[in-house]
Amino acid sequence: MRFKLEDLDVFWPYDAVYPEQYDYMLELKHALDARGGCLLEMPTGTGKTVSLLSLITSYQYAHPECGKLIYCTRTVPEMTKAVEELKRVISHRNELLGLDASSAPFLGVCLSARRNMCVHPNVMEASDREQVDSLCRKKIAPWVRQRKGRP
């Protein structure tokens, strides 16, 4: 689905937009137009993630000079859901515009804690965050490897 939100083409990956989602995107657009900040709140399960990602990526497409989107989550499952929605939004936009991924590249990066990212078996067995950080740092920090004579 593609619709106008004032003067902006919004690429929406679902068949319908709820009034609350439309209002959410409208307020967010007004904040972006004013180059200001905003604090928006919606109840759980109302489509905040897709509303925000659809509006901001559409805004970025129309205004490439507006910069990067930094989207933070509290948990890894929330991050995973956001990345899945981002893929869906960008894929839908490319489909509507007749573009393939190579002609319309989009970079999304996920960052997480060492506890979630380190794959070394000894580190994975650690039980608390500080221990994971310490063990991981010992495995990857260049100054630690240099002291042991390793590249």
Side-chain angles (χ1 to χ4, degrees):
M1 170 183 231
R2 183 178 184 175
F3 64 91
K4 282 279 194 194
L5 186 70
E6 295 179 338
D7 59 339
L8 180 68
D9 276 332
V10 176
F11 301 95
W12 182 259
Y14 298 104
D15 294 331
V17 178
Y18 294 117
E20 299 83 10
Q21 293 168 324
Y22 186 91
D23 293 343
Y24 187 86
M25 288 186 281
L26 186 60
E27 292 301 324
L28 181 56
K29 181 187 178 297
H30 290 163
L32 291 171
D33 286 342
R35 298 192 182 280
C38 68
L39 178 64
L40 300 171
E41 185 177 25
M42 284 174 61
T44 301
T46 53
K48 291 181 293 294
T49 301
V50 70
S51 298
L52 185 132
L53 293 174
S54 291
L55 187 279
I56 291 182
T57 58
S58 296
Y59 198 92
Q60 287 176 314
Y61 187 77
H63 306 279
E65 74 284 356
C66 76
K68 298 174 183 167
L69 163 65
I70 299 174
Y71 187 96
C72 300
T73 65
R74 188 177 58 82
T75 67
V76 172
E78 289 170 350
M79 178 177 56
T80 302
K81 180 183 182 292
V83 170
E84 288 170 5
E85 284 289 4
L86 180 60
K87 287 178 183 177
R88 182 177 292 118
V89 166
I90 298 302
S91 174
H92 181 69
R93 179 182 76 190
N94 290 347
E95 181 183 317
L96 288 177
L97 295 173
L99 303 172
D100 64 11
S102 63
S103 65
F106 191 92
L107 175 63
V109 178
C110 293
L111 302 175
S112 187
R114 286 185 187 101
R115 179 78 181 129
N116 301 317
M117 302 297 288
C118 192
V119 295
H120 193 280
N122 293 350
V123 176
M124 290 174 56
E125 291 174 5
S127 59
D128 66 64
R129 185 175 49 89
E130 287 80 18
Q131 190 178 16
V132 168
D133 287 347
S134 175
L135 290 170
C136 189
R137 196 174 302 109
K138 287 176 183 174
K139 300 285 182 203
I140 63 170
W143 63 89
V144 173
R145 291 194 319 267
Q146 285 173 354
R147 263 189 267 145
K148 293 186 176 186
R150 290 185 280 175

